[in-house]
Amino acid sequence: MTSRKALNPPRGQCRRCWFHAYASKEAHKGLGPGEDCQACINCAASQHKGQIVT
């Protein structure tokens, strides 16, 4: 079950990155050891477009 903290990022934080940081087991399930999460890479590359809490 996803924690309440993972679902409620504070103002100025990226929703996707916040979720991936605080619910990483759920967000990254299926990734092997040392594998990078493509969603995390894409979010950072797009400068978190449309994901920042205002």
Side-chain angles (χ1 to χ4, degrees):
M1 181 176 202
T2 304
S3 74
R4 186 177 186 103
K5 184 173 187 170
L7 297 174
N8 294 298
R11 185 177 292 193
Q13 294 295 318
C14 172
R15 288 177 176 87
R16 182 177 296 131
C17 293
W18 187 266
F19 178 79
H20 279 232
Y22 288 95
S24 64
K25 286 183 182 178
E26 293 166 58
H28 298 128
K29 74 179 182 181
L31 290 179
E35 278 187 88
D36 291 328
C37 174
Q38 197 60 47
C40 290
I41 293 168
N42 293 344
C43 193
S46 71
Q47 298 179 347
H48 314 286
K49 190 172 186 170
Q51 296 294 320
I52 301 297
V53 178
T54 55

